[in-house]
Amino acid sequence: MTTTDLQAGFDETIAHEWRVEPRDWMPDGYRRTLVRQVAQHAHSEIIGMQPEGGWLTRAPSLRRKQVLMAKVQDEAGHGLYLYSAAETLGVDRDDLTQQLVDSRQKYSSIFNYPALSYADVGTIGWLVDGAAICNQVPLCRSSYGPYARAMIRVCKEESFHQRQGYELLMTMMNGTDAQRAMVQESVDRFWWPSLMMFGPPDADSPNTEQSMAWGIKRHTNDELRQRFVDMSVPQAAALGVTLPDPDLAWNDDRGAHDFGEPDWSEFAAVVRGDGPCNVQRVAHRRAAHEDGAWVREAATAFAAKQAAS
Amino acid sequence: MSDEPVRAGWPLYEVFVRGKRGLNHVHVGSLHAADDEMALRHARDVYTRRNEGVSIWAVRADLVAASSPAEKDPFFAPSADKVYRHPTFYDIPDDVPHL
Ligand SMILES: [Fe+2]
Ligand SMILES: [Fe+2]
């Protein structure tokens, strides 16, 4: 078959909303875009364990420790589903890890913010996992089969993440004034970075159009951001917290909320590596990877010995 | 990679999970492990954290025989042209019961 035939077969698959599977022919650009997106997504799950991970030993009760442990373990699982999907595109898992610890591949900017108070565990579950859900639900229909299937598994688990966070915040809001203030302070810090999780405005997102044509992306950044705002407003009201945006207001004509512009220069700085925790996050991941080398070596030696005997 | 010759040696396993008794094992993803036992343990931890399975198969990916996409059409052609294997191929009057 000629490349034209192959391209026509691929185009037909996309046009019919069929799924592209690993051994199918695909254009280089499609493969490259997917590798970048899936790897970046996998890295985000893995790095995403760190902000909350610091609270594992400090959560206030056995129940909260148990829940947080299960949540953080899920994020590790999400990373592994996604590395598995990335690997079907012909890349090597070790190589992806190396690119992460060498800062040659990115992860979601949100995880470069610190979890300073215990309320942040709740806010991360509510807003950060909530924004992730907004992003991920449409990806269950991604044109690349292994990615779509990984997203279905991830989405099933994310609902628990968001609910445990919201429940934690509700509990604190029913507590003392100091606890309520702690929740509000946390929401104030995480609201804008959560909006930035959807990426730059559509006008500054040159790859969106191609990704949507390929069925890798299903909605634009601004569409998803709007959906997230509209979902969050009644949740904030039920919780009794204020979202830190003076421009936030219902717009009857649009049937949606108007809201302020995130500080895109801050977003650019965090993406560039100048966020509050970029260096710490990557250094921690590198240390965990390197400190675990002897375990991997021992397991290999053991397996070789067993196979020989 | 030269700085990590050991890790590169962990083979890839494809993982299949039987969701419950009465169902087939279904492919759920892959993982790397040093040996079969580790593959099963990791598969349990990664793919069955919420009772998703009662049985797991972990199969070395290099041992899976797969049809190749290049021969896709001729490979599956023998089944495509045998419409008489489907019940709808046969015309039976509507008033004949239980057929
Ligand atoms: Fe996740
Ligand atoms: Fe999550």
Side-chain angles (χ1 to χ4, degrees):
Chain A
M1 279 205 274
T2 67
T3 308
T4 324
D5 293 339
L6 293 166
Q7 178 74 50
F10 174 84
D11 292 344
E12 191 192 5
T13 301
I14 298 294
H16 283 85
E17 303 239 336
W18 295 332
R19 295 289 180 267
V20 178
E21 294 295 345
R23 290 155 61 87
D24 293 343
W25 182 90
M26 58 189 93
D28 281 346
Y30 179 84
R31 187 185 298 273
R32 233 179 306 117
T33 304
L34 266 171
V35 166
R36 185 169 14 102
Q37 183 172 331
V38 178
Q40 196 164 314
H41 196 159
H43 297 329
S44 301
E45 302 284 354
I46 296 298
I47 296 286
M49 291 191 282
Q50 290 187 38
E52 291 167 289
W55 288 96
L56 281 170
T57 57
R58 286 175 265 173
S61 68
L62 186 57
R63 176 178 182 272
R64 295 292 176 191
K65 285 188 173 74
Q66 240 174 355
V67 169
L68 187 54
M69 181 71 96
K71 199 246 180 194
V72 171
Q73 193 190 9
D74 271 354
E75 304 301 2
H78 297 175
L80 295 176
Y81 305 156
L82 286 158
Y83 284 128
S84 163
E87 205 156 27
T88 65
L89 291 160
V91 292
D92 179 75
R93 239 178 264 214
D94 297 321
D95 189 44
L96 296 179
T97 299
Q98 201 59 49
Q99 296 203 47
L100 170 63
V101 301
D102 292 345
S103 294
R104 283 182 286 131
Q105 278 179 344
K106 297 196 182 306
Y107 53 88
S108 175
S109 57
I110 190 74
F111 302 116
N112 291 314
Y113 292 88
L116 298 175
S117 81
Y118 178 66
D120 289 358
V121 172
T123 308
I124 288 170
W126 172 37
L127 294 178
V128 175
D129 287 83
I133 291 171
C134 265
N135 261 327
Q136 288 166 354
V137 167
L139 294 176
C140 295
R141 295 183 296 114
S142 164
S143 61
Y144 188 59
Y147 189 37
R149 292 191 288 274
M151 280 301 99
I152 290 170
R153 301 185 69 85
V154 166
C155 285
K156 274 188 192 158
E157 300 183 352
E158 286 295 350
S159 159
F160 141 63
H161 297 181
Q162 195 183 23
R163 289 173 68 102
Q164 65 81 33
Y166 194 81
E167 186 230 45
L168 190 165
L169 295 179
M170 281 197 325
T171 308
M172 289 185 77
M173 291 303 284
N174 287 326
T176 63
D177 283 346
Q179 285 177 305
R180 277 187 284 277
M182 197 187 273
V183 172
Q184 183 62 58
E185 189 274 336
S186 172
V187 170
D188 289 345
R189 273 185 292 113
F190 273 94
W191 175 249
W192 292 109
S194 300
L195 293 191
M196 295 176 196
M197 284 175 70
F198 299 95
D202 292 349
D204 303 325
S205 180
N207 300 324
T208 293
E209 199 183 339
Q210 178 63 74
S211 285
M212 287 181 64
W214 275 330
I216 295 175
K217 238 173 129 162
R218 293 293 184 176
H219 302 280
T220 71
N221 298 350
D222 287 335
E223 284 166 8
L224 292 168
R225 190 165 13 247
Q226 178 73 57
R227 186 178 297 184
F228 175 70
V229 170
D230 290 336
M231 279 171 28
S232 300
V233 168
Q235 293 169 350
L239 198 56
V241 295
T242 310
L243 297 173
D245 179 357
D247 298 327
L248 188 63
W250 176 254
N251 182 326
D252 235 349
D253 297 338
R254 291 204 305 123
H257 291 85
D258 292 335
F259 56 98
E261 198 68 29
D263 179 354
W264 293 115
S265 65
E266 175 182 320
F267 177 71
V270 177
V271 169
R272 201 168 55 229
D274 296 331
C277 301
N278 297 56
V279 173
Q280 175 189 337
R281 298 290 184 242
V282 172
H284 187 84
R285 181 69 192 91
R286 174 185 284 280
H289 183 61
E290 289 173 359
D291 293 350
W294 72 269
V295 179
R296 298 190 291 274
E297 285 164 24
T300 304
F302 179 76
K305 201 170 159 191
Q306 294 296 107
S309 66
Chain B
M1 256 165 298
S2 57
D3 56 332
E4 266 205 278
V6 172
R7 181 68 172 84
W10 281 20
L12 182 69
Y13 285 78
E14 297 296 338
V15 179
F16 301 77
V17 172
R18 184 199 294 286
K20 60 180 181 189
R21 288 173 172 277
L23 298 181
N24 288 316
H25 284 76
V26 173
H27 183 246
V28 291
S30 67
L31 48 77
H32 287 270
D35 57 27
D36 295 355
E37 190 190 336
M38 185 193 277
L40 285 170
R41 280 176 190 279
H42 285 182
R44 180 199 60 189
D45 293 345
V46 176
Y47 292 106
T48 64
R49 284 193 302 285
R50 288 177 177 78
N51 286 320
E52 289 97 333
V54 294
S55 164
I56 297 174
W57 292 343
V59 186
R60 283 271 301 261
D62 57 356
L63 299 180
V64 173
S67 62
S68 106
E71 61 191 359
K72 186 176 158 195
D73 290 342
F75 193 72
F76 293 104
S79 91
D81 63 359
K82 293 181 178 59
V83 282
Y84 49 85
R85 284 179 174 169
H86 298 276
T88 46
F89 181 70
Y90 303 93
D91 283 331
I92 308 283
D94 288 345
D95 54 359
V96 180
H98 308 304
L99 257 177

